[in-house]
Amino acid sequence: MRPVLLHLDEALDHQPLLRERRGAMVDARDLGPALRLWSRPKALSRLTERLRRDLPTGAEADLIFAGSGDFHHVSPLLISRAIEAAGGKPLTVLHFDNHPDWVKFSNGMHCGSWVATAARLPGVARVITIGVCSGDIDHPETKRADMSLIADRRVELYPYLAPDGGPVYRVGDQNWPSIAAVGEAAFTELLVSRIETDAVYVTVDKDVLRAEDAVTNWDQGRLSLDGLRTMIRAAAQRARIMGMDVVGDWSPPRYGPDLLSAVLKRGEAFLDQPRRGPSPDLARQVNEAANLDLLDLFSEVAA
């Protein structure tokens, strides 16, 4: 197991205990403004080259901390690395998030669109999205969701709460129980039963967690850190974890790569994200504690 700090912003700069335990570091802060919120293919290609140069794949699994949830669309790059390290064997992606990240986006990738790319990677059997309770899943067909992901059985989505408050979330001809309806213990058993591969990749956006367990650039979900640990530990007993990434650490946004992109991104963030930032010191303290907890867990399950 190798803990990796992928610096795309300043979110991890002032987490000294986490920095002490890193096994590797990739500094890509120069690419951060171009990548933040959404990225064009050129910026994504530059990050791919940086990772290939500074973080060669090896036999051990990587736990990659990548800063703000505004960068969640780097996950397909990291999943591809894990598939390569696994020799191309199929894996299941476990996606913990307060948002489905399944919208359509052209000419690049958005932090709200990356699931479609990940689900169609050679070697990905299925993406299982866990813990959403944001309004993004209410009538997804009207919110630019890629409904073919559901029709093709590439994605399953288990919300923490269904939009109508009922026990089941329905999309098209598919339906999935909510975590709140069945309880975290029963849901954990269900989750394990849905893993049909011998390997999994875990991606965590900490906005899936309660406000007391994480401080992010987005609205917070309702899953506890204890619940997240329990689900990951159970998944690791069913299949080998080939890699994991964690985003969702709060950082002050810096947008680019040009003035027009910065203006468009700032306008989008104004509409979608909370308008009052947290105390930076509190954000670092809470997020470092969660990161260290996840690092201990990953060291245990990847052993």
Side-chain angles (χ1 to χ4, degrees), residues 23-290:
M25 181 182 72
V26 178
D27 193 339
R29 279 171 282 205
D30 57 313
L31 306 179
L35 290 165
R36 189 156 192 155
L37 203 61
W38 47 261
S39 309
R40 297 306 183 198
K42 181 178 179 181
L44 292 165
S45 294
R46 292 180 66 192
L47 179 60
T48 299
E49 293 169 3
R50 187 76 54 89
L51 290 168
R52 188 177 295 116
R53 185 192 73 189
D54 295 346
L55 193 69
T57 56
E60 61 182 338
D62 288 332
L63 167 56
I64 300 179
F65 296 95
S68 170
D70 288 356
F71 298 107
H72 207 168
H73 50 298
V74 308
S75 288
L77 309 183
L78 307 178
I79 295 167
S80 293
R81 287 167 44 84
I83 293 170
E84 178 184 347
K89 295 179 180 178
L91 55 75
T92 301
V93 176
L94 303 184
H95 167 216
F96 294 88
D97 206 317
N98 193 36
H99 306 89
D101 293 353
W102 60 7
V103 303
K104 297 176 181 177
F105 186 77
S106 59
N107 191 26
M109 244 188 314
H110 193 287
C111 65
S113 79
W114 66 270
V115 163
T117 299
R120 295 185 173 104
L121 288 173
V124 171
R126 178 185 297 130
V127 175
I128 302 177
T129 298
I130 304 149
V132 178
C133 60
S134 71
D136 294 350
I137 57 173
D138 189 12
H139 297 98
E141 66 278 0
T142 69
K143 298 176 180 177
R144 297 186 300 121
D146 187 344
M147 301 301 290
S148 67
L149 295 170
I150 306 303
D152 295 342
R153 306 296 198 266
R154 294 181 180 273
V155 170
E156 297 180 1
L157 192 150
Y158 298 90
Y160 199 92
L161 290 171
D164 61 1
V168 174
Y169 175 55
R170 294 180 173 83
V171 181
D173 64 349
Q174 297 295 296
N175 61 83
W176 305 286
S178 72
I179 298 172
V182 301
E184 290 187 2
F187 172 74
T188 299
E189 293 183 8
L190 172 62
L191 173 61
V192 170
S193 75
R194 299 305 301 149
I195 299 172
E196 298 175 351
T197 56
D198 293 330
V200 295
Y201 182 95
V202 180
T203 177
V204 177
D205 188 332
K206 290 194 291 187
D207 66 16
V208 75
L209 297 173
R210 308 173 301 178
E212 53 263 49
D213 288 327
V215 181
T216 75
N217 290 90
W218 294 85
D219 50 320
Q220 296 295 140
R222 301 199 181 191
L223 184 63
S224 68
L225 186 57
D226 283 344
L228 175 63
R229 279 199 307 260
T230 297
M231 292 174 194
I232 295 174
R233 187 176 285 114
Q237 292 173 352
R238 165 63 185 85
R240 181 184 177 191
I241 294 184
M242 297 304 302
M244 178 172 170
D245 66 67
V246 178
V247 299
D249 287 52
W250 181 86
S251 69
R254 291 178 173 79
Y255 303 118
D258 50 57
L259 179 60
L260 177 59
S261 297
V263 170
L264 292 174
K265 290 180 179 182
R266 191 169 298 279
E268 182 179 336
F270 180 80
L271 293 174
D272 288 347
Q273 296 180 348
R275 297 180 186 179
R276 293 186 62 182
S279 158
D281 289 339
L282 175 64
R284 285 192 290 268
Q285 179 182 355
V286 171
N287 287 329
E288 183 177 42

